[in-house]
Amino acid sequence: MIFAARYGWQESNGPLHFHYVAPSFWAWKGGEARLKGLANFVDHILCILPNEEAVCKLNGLDATFVGHPVLEDIVEFNLGKQASPHDLKIEGNSEDFRRKYALSPGAAVISLLPGSRLQEVIRMLSIFSRAFDQLKDSIPELITVIHVASNQHVENYIDGVIHKWPVPAILIPGGHQHLKYDAFSASTIALCTSGTVAMELQLARLPCVVAYRAHILTEWYIQYKAKIPYISLPNILTDSAIIPEALFQACTPTNLASLLMKLMHNKRLQEEQIVAAENVIKLLFPSERIINLEEQMEWKFPNFTPSMIASSTILSHVKS
């Protein structure tokens, strides 16, 4: 929740209440009912996904689509470049990464993102390890690049189990953005636990497989309450299964190994994901609002970020 002082002396009966990130009403049965409740104590919602703004307004909530926060990475990596929001992506340096870690020209690199919370990483890394054990004889010179979250407990856990990993592995510490995207650039595909990382892979145009397992009660609740068939945001935004998902009981080592093999050796499937990623990025940018801000402030993209659009929205709302 964001609070802002009211402008002037009118309506000085308390601060304005801004809510950053709308509830995921689109994912759950009866989700829109939560919006009606928010209208009682929230003045404005700052939405990070397309279509949320319109639905919020239909339910009595003032709202603005400001763009997804993952796009801040795009602006950081493209500072000083002439580009439009529709063709931006993050390109790491594959050659530097391969040279840094002495990878042979024939090395088959798969990026692995097991999650950010300890219990999640413990659960998913065990499944991923057995999947790669099945892959090691089928993919020559297989190398795993494991992206470690900035979480001391996760770092300690991975350090303690990496000696048992079935194929050669490179650990990428959290918080090293350029190294992360260099690793993505050097990879052919990725395997990730469902989360924001799926959007980062879209920015890098790296084809992937998304996996998810949870406690059996959590899985039962999701299957009972969810009203959408997908769990990864790219699939949700495009309303298609362009990214393979292995969820719940289907998230097995054998199934993951099969999906990874299929994606690794099928250039058409890889290209389909890359093209779809371009469309996803377009959806994440509030293009009309960027154009309006450029006209008002005489700035040019990519100077506008979701955080700047959010700030401009708050200031405009407070002064109105």
Side-chain angles (χ1 to χ4, degrees), residues 195-262:
T196 305
V197 292
M199 299 307 300
E200 295 177 347
L201 296 172
Q202 297 283 286
L203 300 185
R205 305 296 197 269
L206 180 60
C208 67
V209 172
V210 171
Y212 185 74
R213 285 237 63 169
H215 188 279
I216 187 171
L217 294 179
T218 302
E219 293 184 356
W220 175 84
Y221 179 83
I222 293 172
Q223 291 172 309
Y224 177 73
K225 292 288 290 184
K227 66 177 184 181
I228 54 177
Y230 312 116
I231 198 169
S232 62
L233 195 50
N235 284 354
I236 293 169
L237 289 173
T238 59
D239 193 25
S240 64
I242 192 69
I243 295 176
E245 295 183 349
L247 311 178
F248 312 135
Q249 290 86 355
C251 183
T252 64
T254 299
N255 195 23
L256 287 177
S258 175
L259 291 172
L260 290 169
M261 276 289 292
K262 185 177 180 181

Side-chain angles (χ1 to χ4, degrees), residues 40-281:
N40 295 324
F41 61 91
V42 171
D43 292 288
H44 201 102
I45 290 189
L46 303 172
C47 304
I48 66 171
L49 297 178
N51 303 323
E52 289 182 336
E53 178 181 325
V55 177
C56 285
K57 289 179 175 177
L58 285 174
N59 285 273
L61 276 162
D62 200 6
T64 301
F65 173 42
V66 299
H68 196 284
V70 76
L71 300 179
E72 305 277 344
D73 286 355
I74 291 186
V75 176
E76 176 186 342
F77 275 75
N78 287 280
L79 285 176
K81 298 180 182 178
Q82 294 295 321
S84 79
H86 289 174
D87 61 15
L88 281 178
K89 61 181 179 180
I90 297 180
E91 293 184 275
N93 193 316
S94 173
E95 291 184 5
D96 276 2
F97 186 85
R98 285 180 170 269
R99 185 164 50 249
K100 178 182 177 69
Y101 291 98
L103 300 181
S104 71
V109 182
I110 297 180
S111 271
L112 186 68
L113 302 99
S116 58
R117 299 183 300 274
L118 179 59
Q119 290 304 314
E120 175 183 64
V121 171
I122 292 173
R123 180 182 296 112
M124 299 306 298
L125 205 60
S126 172
I127 299 171
F128 292 171
S129 175
R130 286 176 281 156
F132 277 87
D133 189 49
Q134 295 183 29
L135 286 173
K136 65 183 180 183
D137 294 328
S138 303
I139 302 178
E141 296 188 73
L142 178 58
I143 303 289
T144 311
V145 177
I146 302 178
H147 298 259
V148 183
S150 298
N151 177 323
Q152 190 63 55
H153 297 296
V154 170
E155 292 173 9
N156 293 342
Y157 174 76
I158 292 178
D159 285 342
V161 300
I162 194 62
H163 67 281
K164 300 178 182 177
W165 197 252
V167 299
I170 299 169
L171 300 185
I172 303 298
H176 293 71
Q177 288 290 85
H178 284 271
L179 183 58
K180 174 173 68 178
Y181 283 99
D182 287 349
F184 287 165
S185 182
S187 302
T188 303
I189 61 173
L191 171 62
C192 72
T193 298
S194 178
T196 305
V197 292
M199 299 307 300
E200 295 177 347
L201 296 172
Q202 297 283 286
L203 300 185
R205 305 296 197 269
L206 180 60
C208 67
V209 172
V210 171
Y212 185 74
R213 285 237 63 169
H215 188 279
I216 187 171
L217 294 179
T218 302
E219 293 184 356
W220 175 84
Y221 179 83
I222 293 172
Q223 291 172 309
Y224 177 73
K225 292 288 290 184
K227 66 177 184 181
I228 54 177
Y230 312 116
I231 198 169
S232 62
L233 195 50
N235 284 354
I236 293 169
L237 289 173
T238 59
D239 193 25
S240 64
I242 192 69
I243 295 176
E245 295 183 349
L247 311 178
F248 312 135
Q249 290 86 355
C251 183
T252 64
T254 299
N255 195 23
L256 287 177
S258 175
L259 291 172
L260 290 169
M261 276 289 292
K262 185 177 180 181
L263 184 59
M264 190 79 174
H265 296 296
N266 193 319
K267 298 297 183 182
R268 180 184 60 82
L269 292 179
Q270 294 175 25
E271 185 59 30
E272 285 178 357
Q273 285 204 35
I274 291 169
V275 171
E278 295 173 0
N279 295 327
V280 168
I281 299 307

